[in-house]
Amino acid sequence: MSSTELLEMMDMILPSNNVLLLADTEHESCRLIDHIIESDRYDIIMPAARKKSVINTIENLEYKRHWAGYATAETQYRYKESKHEFRLIGQRSGEKEEEYNYKPFITTGNHSLSEDPYRLKLITEDFPERWTIEEFFNFEGAMGWDRASTMNLNIRYGKLSLALIAQAATYQLKKKLPEPYKRWTAPKESLRDKTFCGFHLKGN
C-alpha cells in the first residue's frame, strides 16, 4: 500500500484538519509531496533524500545560528517531477566550517521563511516525536501490536482494546520499578517472564 493510499484511509478516520505527519525518508516521493500540498488537511516533516542537488542547495544557504554547533536555514525547492514547490530546511551541525555536517528536511505549509522559531520547533521538537512512536512499538509490540492475527475487524478491535489496557497497566507498574526493570520490553525474555511470572498468588 502506498503512502497516498494510507492518507486516503486516514481521511476517513481523523476528525480534524491541520494534522502534522512525521515520516521517514523512505516515504519521500513527488506524488506524496504534491498530494499533501494539494490537501487542506495535512502538513509533513521528513528528512529529504541526500541527493547531490539537495545537499548542494542547503550547503549554500545563509544559516541562522541557534546555539553552539547548531544552525538552520530554509528555501523553496521543487523536484523536476513535482508539480509544487515545498519548503527545504537545512540543518547544520558543527562549530567550525571544516566540521560542518548538513541534513535536509522537507516540510509543507505556508509559514514564512522568516519564522525561525517555527522552523526550529519542527526539527528539534516535533520530528523527534517520530522516535517516541517507534519506541512504543519496540517496547510494547509483543502485547499484540506487532501482528494481525485475523482480518475480522471486530476481533482485532477487541484485541487492540485489551492490549491498550495491558499497556496502561504495565506502564504504571514500570514507573514504580527500579532500574533496569523500567526499561525492559514486553517480550517473553524480559518483563513477562522475569517479572510477572515471578508473582505467586496464595490462597486463603
Side-chain angles (χ1 to χ4, degrees):
M1 181 178 292
S2 70
S3 298
T4 52
E5 289 175 320
L6 286 174
L7 287 181
E8 290 168 0
M9 293 178 64
M10 289 169 58
D11 286 340
M12 299 183 290
I13 300 171
L14 297 174
S16 61
N17 297 337
N18 302 319
V19 176
L20 178 62
L21 304 173
L22 312 177
D24 288 330
T25 309
E26 56 261 31
H27 293 284
E28 180 190 341
S29 70
C30 294
R31 182 185 174 194
L32 175 64
I33 295 170
D34 288 340
H35 181 91
I36 290 174
I37 292 174
E38 292 168 3
S39 167
D40 60 354
R41 303 200 68 189
Y42 305 110
D43 281 329
I44 193 169
I45 175 71
M46 63 179 171
R50 297 182 63 85
K51 300 176 182 178
K52 185 177 180 179
S53 58
V54 171
I55 298 301
N56 286 342
T57 298
I58 64 172
E59 284 180 346
N60 291 287
L61 295 177
E62 184 176 343
Y63 279 79
K64 177 176 180 179
R65 186 174 183 268
H66 299 288
W67 53 77
Y70 190 85
T72 64
E74 184 173 337
T75 188
Q76 292 289 329
Y77 194 83
R78 182 171 70 88
Y79 290 133
K80 292 180 180 178
E81 303 84 1
S82 180
K83 295 185 292 183
H84 303 284
E85 287 187 335
F86 54 84
R87 297 166 58 207
L88 179 66
I89 298 176
Q91 173 185 272
R92 190 186 72 192
S93 57
E95 192 66 16
K96 299 179 181 178
E97 186 172 354
E98 61 271 18
E99 299 174 351
Y100 285 166
N101 180 58
Y102 296 90
K103 184 173 183 178
F105 286 87
I106 290 172
T107 188
T108 57
N110 297 318
H111 296 274
S112 168
L113 299 185
S114 63
E115 291 187 63
D116 297 310
Y118 177 79
R119 180 173 72 223
L120 185 64
K121 178 178 182 296
L122 268 178
I123 58 178
T124 62
E125 297 181 30
D126 294 333
F127 183 72
E129 290 294 322
R130 166 72 182 83
W131 310 116
T132 303
I133 300 168
E134 192 138 312
E135 287 172 2
F136 173 83
F137 286 99
N138 176 44
F139 276 78
E140 319 294 354
M143 292 185 179
W145 302 104
D146 56 352
R147 64 180 63 87
S149 56
T150 175
M151 294 299 292
N152 185 305
L153 287 180
N154 290 323
I155 295 175
R156 291 182 68 177
Y157 288 152
K159 180 181 177 182
L160 292 177
S161 297
L162 292 173
L164 279 173
I165 295 172
Q167 190 274 333
T170 56
Y171 175 77
Q172 292 297 325
L173 173 65
K174 283 195 291 185
K175 286 175 62 176
K176 294 176 169 43
L177 293 175
E179 299 285 353
Y181 299 97
K182 62 176 64 178
R183 295 197 306 271
W184 280 5
T185 56
K188 62 181 181 180
E189 63 270 15
S190 54
L191 191 65
R192 190 187 73 184
D193 280 0
K194 295 183 179 179
T195 304
F196 296 145
C197 290
F199 294 161
H200 298 283
L201 300 178
K202 295 183 179 179
N204 293 330

